[in-house]
Amino acid sequence: MDWIISDELGLTVGHLVGWGAAGAMIIGGIAPYIPQYKQIKKTQDAEGFSLYVCLTLLIANTLRILFWFGKRYEIPLLIQSIVMNITMFIMIHLCVNVRKKNQIIRARERIFTAQPDETARWLGQQSGVTGGEKPRRFYDMDRKYFWAWTDFQSYVDCMLVFSVLGSAITYLLIEFSPFVELIGFLAVFTEAMLGAPQIAKNHQNKSTEGMSVSMVIMWTFGDIFKTAYFVIREAPTQFWVCGSLQVTLDIVILLQVWWYRHNTAAARRLRRGD
C-alpha cells in the first residue's frame, strides 16, 4: 500500500513518483539539445549538427499529436510532443542564422515558397503582362536543397503544410482503427530513427566535430528512461519497441565518437588554428 503523505490531499508516494516521471518525460526530452544549442552559439558553427534531426523529430511529434486524437494516451506524452516541436524550431532558427553569418560568398537563397514579388511577376506573365524575369518555382523542392533552405520561415511553412494535410487525412479516417494504429507506429518509428541523420552526418564527415557528445549521452540515458517508462505505464506496444531501437542508434553514435576520435581531434585543432 502506498504511504499516505496527506489524508486531505490524498497524495501518495505513487502519485509523487508518477508526477516526477511525467515531468522528467516533458523536460528530459528537450534537455539534450541545451548543450548542442550552447555549443553552436559559442562556436558559431552549425555544420556538425544535422538539421534532419530536427525534421525527424518534427514529423514524429506531429504524428504523435495526431495519434492522440485517435487513441488517447497520457497527457504528459502529448505535452512533450508540443514542447519538443517548439524546441526544434528554436534549434533550426539558430542554425539558419549561424549559417547565414558564415557565408563568405552570398549564395542564391533557397526557399520553400515563392516570395510575394515573384508570385506577382508569375501571375503577370500568365495574364500576358510582361516585365521582370521569370521567377523560380513556387516550391523549391529540388531534392538537393530540401530541408536546406536559407530562411527560417521556409521550415515553418513546410511543417505547416505537413500538419494541415495530416490533420485533414486524420479527420477523415479517424474512425478507421488500422489507420490510427499506423499513425502511432509511424510516429514512434520516425522518432526511433532520430539518430540516423546524425549517424549519416558523422559518417560523411568522418568526424563528430561540431556534434555535442553531451547531447548524445543525454539522448541515450533519456531514451533508456523513456523506454522503461513506456513499459511500466503500459503505453501502446509501438512506443516501447521503437524506444528500444532508438537506444540502439544512440549507442551507434557513441561508437562513432570513439571510432572517429582522431579525425575529430584534428578537425578541432584546424578550427582553432593550432
Side-chain angles (χ1 to χ4, degrees):
M1 180 180 293
D2 288 332
W3 171 47
I4 302 296
I5 293 181
S6 169
D7 289 334
E8 292 184 5
L9 296 177
L11 294 179
T12 66
V13 172
H15 287 135
L16 293 179
V17 171
W19 292 345
M25 281 293 297
I26 296 171
I27 304 301
I30 66 174
Y33 298 95
I34 296 175
Q36 182 68 72
Y37 183 94
K38 292 172 67 176
Q39 181 170 326
I40 294 174
K41 192 83 171 176
K42 178 181 178 181
T43 63
Q44 289 296 294
D45 181 7
E47 294 306 314
F49 177 70
S50 174
L51 280 181
Y52 284 102
V53 168
C54 298
L55 174 62
T56 301
L57 280 174
L58 284 169
I59 291 176
N61 285 285
T62 300
L63 288 173
R64 190 196 284 183
I65 292 170
L66 295 177
F67 180 54
W68 184 83
F69 290 97
K71 188 172 184 178
R72 300 298 168 90
Y73 50 82
E74 292 193 342
I75 293 297
L77 295 178
L78 177 64
I79 297 174
Q80 182 203 40
S81 293
I82 297 171
V83 172
M84 182 62 77
N85 278 356
I86 294 172
T87 303
M88 289 303 99
F89 280 122
I90 292 174
M91 289 295 298
I92 291 171
H93 186 266
L94 173 65
C95 291
V96 169
N97 286 341
V98 167
R99 288 173 180 176
K100 275 187 176 180
K101 290 179 182 178
N102 290 341
Q103 280 185 351
I104 299 175
I105 301 175
R106 185 174 178 81
R108 173 192 174 187
E109 287 196 0
R110 297 285 178 177
I111 58 176
F112 179 66
T113 58
Q115 297 175 353
D117 59 334
E118 292 178 319
T119 305
R121 287 201 302 270
W122 184 84
L123 291 173
Q125 289 170 350
Q126 300 307 306
S127 61
V129 178
T130 58
E133 63 181 43
K134 185 176 181 179
R136 55 176 170 258
R137 300 181 299 276
F138 273 107
Y139 296 95
D140 201 347
M141 295 300 288
D142 186 329
R143 182 179 178 182
K144 180 181 178 182
Y145 296 104
F146 177 76
W147 207 253
W149 301 301
T150 55
D151 73 319
F152 173 69
Q153 187 62 45
S154 291
Y155 297 90
V156 176
D157 292 344
C158 179
M159 287 310 303
L160 183 60
V161 170
F162 177 80
S163 300
V164 170
L165 289 176
S167 298
I169 296 172
T170 302
Y171 177 78
L172 294 174
L173 299 176
I174 195 71
E175 300 297 332
F176 186 50
S177 181
F179 173 77
V180 174
E181 293 296 333
L182 177 62
I183 290 180
F185 172 76
L186 290 177
V188 290
F189 180 74
T190 303
E191 184 177 0
M193 298 305 293
L194 167 65
Q198 193 63 55
I199 291 172
K201 184 81 171 180
N202 295 341
H203 177 72
Q204 179 184 3
N205 294 340
K206 295 294 187 289
S207 165
T208 58
E209 169 64 5
M211 181 197 75
S212 171
V213 178
S214 299
M215 176 187 72
V216 181
I217 292 174
M218 294 174 74
W219 270 359
T220 306
F221 284 105
D223 291 337
I224 292 173
F225 170 82
K226 180 173 64 178
T227 303
Y229 179 89
F230 290 156
V231 173
I232 294 172
R233 303 296 293 183
E234 298 182 349
T237 305
Q238 304 102 309
F239 281 65
W240 66 264
V241 169
C242 291
S244 301
L245 174 60
Q246 199 166 350
V247 173
T248 302
L249 294 181
D250 294 340
I251 294 173
V252 171
I253 297 177
L254 291 175
L255 289 175
Q256 284 185 316
V257 172
W258 177 81
W259 185 259
Y260 295 131
R261 63 191 185 282
H262 299 303
N263 292 351
T264 301
R268 190 170 294 128
R269 287 194 298 269
L270 181 63
R271 178 173 58 83
R272 286 188 283 196
D274 295 348

